[in-house]
């Protein structure tokens, strides 16, 4: 089998490709079939003069998503999608498709989500999954090359790991069991056996929030390391993210272009990531300076909107007399303007709310999505915020020996409004303290007996973190919503397809 992404090796030769019709258009005695085969797209040109009447007729009847086998001579052509064209000499229809539901026209998000099983074939969705694949492979390579052992945590668990409010409960042979919220606690047991491990698996949260950052089923990568403190943990998280970005930039430039991602923004993620304490973060949010910055931002958005409106009016008045090619350009630009205007309107609604929330921020409050956006607003790289109030963090977090109110936890916040992609920290290793914490958090001791054993037998300082795969893919691809970062998203109110 030869694939479209191998065409560079066979220029000038006659080859056969198998795939699906992505798009078809005709111009007098020519048919242009854009073929997709999973590895890319290739323009196939059928000229009525060069092929049999039968082939011409068959080709003329092709529709979007017909499965075909196409034979032709490979031409290198820079202007063509993917850099090659096929001059068709033979065609075999493998299966006929009529009225494929997803057409090149715009569809609403609800419609697309209902057709996710087909939507996956569309170009942007295809590109996002390629980037996701690179990220997954990159993570495995990163940890494997550092001597980490990949181990799997169970999905059915008898206890909560991350609070009891968003647990999925299941009936486990007449007993209660929960779908795992995090593999961490099991990861700690594994780290005591192997030193450095990572888990890579699905995790579940009954999130009732319908935000662009929340799924009910998502994939988490959770390294756990014996003898690591918080600072070493942060070093590792930073190195891992840089490793991922480097791999994506090396392997997925074409996909990032399809996604219209601003690649320069990703290239800047090389610099060291700022690390600020939670206390500093609160001060920043509540500062006069933040209020001023938000006022300035509001003004900038207003000004931008005025300019865009003007440009749009000019394009509208030009459209009537424009030639076909120019019309296409105008349409494209109008699409971009509309998308940007939507974003601006959203910002204009949001900024006053953010401003108020920032101004009222006090020590002890948790951060919401908007606070995370504000904290990274002027940064080109992610930011790590450490030392959260112990009150708002999980029972297993170790406290700062210098201040008992502070937990040695860290969150990594991605820039461009993508928010928290990593949560982690140093774990409490003292048995009595941990038992005390379970009580404070109103958690029963019985299901944690095994976990407490880890503090009874050879307890050592240790740390780890969890990276949310979908939020990472969303950020790197520049996708607004996590629903497009996983093949079949699970969210509140969606379990089909
Ligand atoms: O911050 P979280 O809750 O941390 C833990 O679960 C720790 N036990 C991890 C550890 O230390 N081993 O979740 C970790 C990450 C978040 O930063 C976020 O990226 C992602 O998991 N995440 C979600 N992603 C999508 N949808 C949700 N509902 C998510 N909840 C968390
Ligand atoms: Mg978190």
């Amino acid at each position: 089998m030869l694939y479209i992404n191998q065409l560079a090796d066979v220029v000038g030769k006659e080859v056969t490709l198998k795939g699906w019709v992505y798009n078809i258009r005709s111009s007098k005695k020519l048919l242009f079939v854009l073929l997709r085969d999973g590895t890319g797209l290739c323009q196939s040109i059928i000229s009525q003069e060069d092929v049999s009447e039968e082939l011409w007729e068959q080709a003329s009847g092709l529709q979007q998503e017909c499965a075909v086998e196409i034979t032709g001579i490979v031409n290198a052509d820079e202007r063509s999608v993917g850099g090659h064209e096929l001059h068709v000499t033979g065609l075999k229809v493998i299966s006929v498709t009529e009225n494929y539901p997803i057409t090149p026209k715009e569809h609403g998000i609800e419609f697309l989500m209902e057709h996710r099983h087909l939507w996956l074939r569309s170009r942007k969705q295809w590109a996002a999954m390629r980037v996701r694949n690179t990220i997954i492979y990159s993570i495995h390579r990163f940890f494997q090359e550092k001597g980490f052992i990949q181990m799997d945590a169970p999905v059915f668990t008898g206890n909560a790991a991350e609070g009891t409010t968003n647990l999925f409960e299941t009936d486990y042979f007449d007993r209660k069991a929960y779908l795992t919220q995090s593999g961490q606690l099991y990861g700690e047991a594994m780290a005591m056996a192997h030193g450095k491990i990572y888990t890579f698996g699905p995790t579940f949260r009954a999130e009732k929030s319908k935000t662009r950052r929340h799924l009910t089923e998502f994939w988490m990568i959770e390294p756990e390391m014996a003898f690591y403190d918080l600072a070493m943990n942060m070093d590792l998280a930073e190195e891992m993210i840089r490793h991922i970005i480097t791999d994506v930039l090396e392997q997925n430039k074409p996909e990032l272009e399809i996604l219209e991602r601003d690649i320069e923004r990703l290239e800047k993620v090389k610099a060291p990531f700022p690390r600020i304490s939670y206390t500093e973060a609160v001060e920043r949010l509540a500062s006069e300076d933040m209020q001023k910055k938000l006022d300035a931002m509001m003004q900038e958005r207003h000004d931008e909107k005025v300019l865009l409106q003007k440009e749009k009016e000019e394009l509208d008045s030009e459209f009537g007399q424009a030639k076909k090619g120019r019309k296409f350009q105008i349409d494209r630009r109008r699409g971009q303007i509309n998308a940007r205007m939507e974003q601006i309107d959203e910002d204009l609604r949001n900024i006053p709310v953010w401003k108020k929330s920032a101004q009222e921020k006090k020590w002890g409050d948790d951060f919401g999505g908007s606070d995370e956006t504000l904290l990274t607003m002027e940064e080109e790289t992610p930011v790590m915020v450490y030392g959260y109030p112990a009150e708002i963090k999980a029972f297993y977090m170790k406290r700062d020996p210098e201040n008992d109110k502070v937990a040695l936890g860290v969150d990594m916040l991605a820039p461009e409004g993508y928010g928290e992609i990593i949560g982690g920290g140093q774990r409490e290793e003292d048995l009595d303290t941990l038992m005390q914490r379970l009580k404070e958090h109103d958690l029963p001791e019985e299901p944690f007996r095994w976990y407490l054993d880890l503090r009874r037998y050879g307890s050592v300082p240790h740390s780890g973190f969890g990276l949310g795969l979908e939020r990472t893919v969303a950020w790197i691809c520049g996708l607004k919503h996590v629903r497009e970062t996983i093949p079949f998203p699970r969210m509140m109110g969606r379990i089909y397809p």
Side-chain angles (χ1 to χ4, degrees):
M1 275 279 278
L2 181 84
Y3 291 96
I4 289 173
N5 65 358
Q6 299 169 319
L7 289 178
D9 301 336
V10 288
V11 172
K13 298 206 173 108
E14 187 176 60
V15 301
T16 298
L17 294 169
K18 292 180 185 183
W20 300 264
V21 174
Y22 193 67
N23 189 14
I24 180 161
R25 60 191 173 84
S26 61
S27 150
K28 290 175 198 140
K29 296 185 167 191
L30 293 175
L31 277 173
F32 299 91
V33 176
L34 192 56
L35 185 75
R36 111 184 141 72
D37 76 344
T39 72
L41 294 172
C42 176
Q43 186 78 267
S44 317
I45 301 160
I46 306 173
S47 153
Q48 191 172 8
E49 284 167 8
D50 298 345
V51 297
S52 68
E53 205 166 305
E54 190 198 345
L55 191 155
W56 179 256
E57 213 145 275
Q58 251 191 338
S60 307
L62 287 176
Q63 286 195 20
Q64 198 188 344
E65 288 306 311
C66 279
V68 290
E69 196 181 298
I70 295 185
T71 303
I73 317 272
V74 181
N75 251 353
D77 187 340
E78 292 241 316
R79 292 161 309 167
S80 217
V81 200
H84 300 91
E85 283 179 351
L86 211 60
H87 285 269
V88 178
T89 53
L91 169 77
K92 201 168 120 193
V93 177
I94 298 170
S95 80
V96 174
T97 294
E98 280 174 348
N99 305 321
Y100 184 69
I102 303 179
T103 58
K105 77 166 178 106
E106 290 249 336
H107 294 285
I109 186 67
E110 265 314 302
F111 178 86
L112 292 169
M113 291 296 286
E114 277 296 297
H115 294 84
R116 182 66 178 163
H117 50 296
L118 302 177
W119 190 24
L120 285 172
R121 304 178 190 186
S122 299
R123 230 170 152 214
K124 278 195 178 172
Q125 302 307 311
W126 174 88
M129 289 304 120
R130 308 294 268 202
V131 175
R132 180 182 165 108
N133 177 63
T134 302
I135 294 173
I136 292 172
Y137 192 57
S138 174
I139 291 170
H140 279 296
R141 212 162 55 81
F142 176 76
F143 285 118
Q144 293 289 335
E145 283 172 7
K146 283 190 167 310
F148 283 64
I149 302 290
Q150 200 254 314
M151 292 179 82
D152 304 307
V155 168
F156 283 127
T157 63
N159 54 262
E162 292 296 321
T164 48
T165 52
N166 58 13
L167 276 173
F168 275 113
E169 196 178 298
T170 64
D171 174 9
Y172 194 77
F173 307 111
D174 299 328
R175 282 169 56 183
K176 274 186 193 168
Y178 310 98
L179 298 185
T180 185
Q181 297 164 304
S182 154
Q184 178 199 321
L185 306 188
Y186 296 97
E188 290 181 50
M190 299 168 192
M192 297 307 134
H194 291 270
K196 294 188 292 189
I197 64 95
Y198 67 107
T199 63
F200 198 133
T203 46
F204 305 87
R205 309 237 175 136
E207 301 276 9
K208 294 230 169 72
S209 42
K210 290 187 179 169
T211 79
R212 62 195 188 90
R213 297 172 182 176
H214 287 96
L215 295 165
T216 54
E217 176 179 327
F218 60 98
W219 288 69
M220 194 157 28
I221 295 86
E222 297 184 87
E224 191 70 33
M225 300 75 64
F227 306 108
Y228 265 51
D229 64 11
L230 180 63
M232 293 161 87
N233 201 20
M234 290 199 271
D235 290 344
L236 184 74
E238 177 174 331
E239 204 186 330
M240 176 192 69
I241 294 296
R242 291 210 236 170
H243 187 269
I244 295 172
I245 300 273
T246 306
D247 278 356
V248 171
L249 285 173
E250 224 171 80
Q251 296 166 37
N252 294 112
K253 285 253 169 77
E255 284 81 4
L256 294 173
E257 267 157 32
I258 292 171
L259 291 160
E260 295 174 53
R261 181 67 168 110
D262 182 353
I263 292 174
E264 261 175 47
R265 293 270 344 213
L266 293 178
E267 283 166 345
K268 288 184 178 147
V269 178
K270 291 215 166 64
F273 302 176
R275 298 175 189 191
I276 61 168
S277 73
Y278 166 89
T279 307
E280 270 174 85
V282 170
E283 279 163 11
R284 256 191 223 186
L285 286 170
S287 68
E288 258 311 294
D289 192 43
M290 182 60 77
Q291 297 289 307
K292 280 194 198 131
K293 276 179 188 151
L294 286 169
D295 287 336
M297 197 183 200
M298 195 79 183
Q299 190 57 48
E300 263 170 40
R301 296 292 189 278
H302 273 300
D303 295 348
E304 193 184 343
K305 193 173 168 180
V306 171
L307 283 179
L308 288 175
Q309 255 157 351
K310 199 162 153 244
E311 187 184 344
K312 208 171 138 194
E313 278 159 26
E314 283 164 11
L315 290 173
D316 284 346
S317 65
E318 187 192 338
F319 193 79
Q321 295 91 38
K323 292 221 174 79
K324 208 171 166 196
R326 175 71 187 143
K327 272 202 165 94
F328 181 77
Q329 278 179 340
I330 292 177
D331 254 343
R332 213 189 131 129
R333 179 69 192 140
R334 283 203 291 208
Q336 286 169 345
I337 293 177
N338 286 342
R340 180 67 194 144
M341 294 260 257
E342 247 175 61
Q343 180 61 52
I344 291 176
D345 284 336
E346 200 183 311
D347 287 353
L348 291 176
R349 280 192 303 275
N350 281 335
I351 295 168
V353 184
W354 296 354
K355 215 180 130 186
K356 186 153 178 285
S357 153
Q359 192 174 32
E360 290 169 357
K361 200 59 59 194
K362 313 180 292 306
W363 204 96
D365 295 346
D366 206 354
F367 294 150
S370 70
D371 304 315
E372 292 173 356
T373 301
L374 299 185
L375 286 170
T376 52
M377 154 170 97
E378 289 175 314
E379 306 294 345
E380 285 171 339
T381 69
V383 176
M384 287 192 267
V385 181
Y386 62 89
Y388 281 84
E391 286 254 322
I392 56 169
K393 288 289 175 185
F395 76 95
Y396 54 71
M397 290 234 181
K398 188 178 170 65
R399 304 277 172 101
D400 184 342
E402 268 150 40
N403 182 354
D404 199 49
K405 286 197 159 58
V406 171
L408 297 179
V410 58
D411 281 357
M412 188 189 285
L413 314 177
E416 301 172 74
Y418 284 93
E420 181 197 328
I421 51 170
I422 286 179
Q426 192 168 337
R427 324 304 190 189
E428 178 55 65
E429 78 259 28
D430 179 67
L431 178 63
D432 292 334
T433 315
L434 197 55
M435 277 164 50
Q436 181 59 32
R437 298 278 182 262
L438 284 174
K439 282 206 191 84
E440 288 165 13
H441 283 255
D442 234 357
L443 291 164
E445 213 176 285
E446 172 55 23
F448 292 99
R449 241 181 334 129
W450 67 271
Y451 186 66
L452 293 169
D453 266 355
L454 304 177
R455 276 69 181 171
R456 279 193 185 97
Y457 308 112
S459 188
V460 298
H462 61 290
S463 300
F465 61 83
L467 170 76
L469 180 61
E470 288 72 22
R471 289 193 193 171
T472 307
V473 175
W475 164 46
I476 293 178
C477 290
L479 291 166
K480 213 169 158 203
H481 200 298
V482 286
R483 66 189 163 211
E484 291 180 43
T485 64
I486 183 165
F488 292 95
R490 295 291 174 247
M491 294 175 290
M492 191 186 166
R494 173 156 305 280
I495 193 122
Y496 177 92

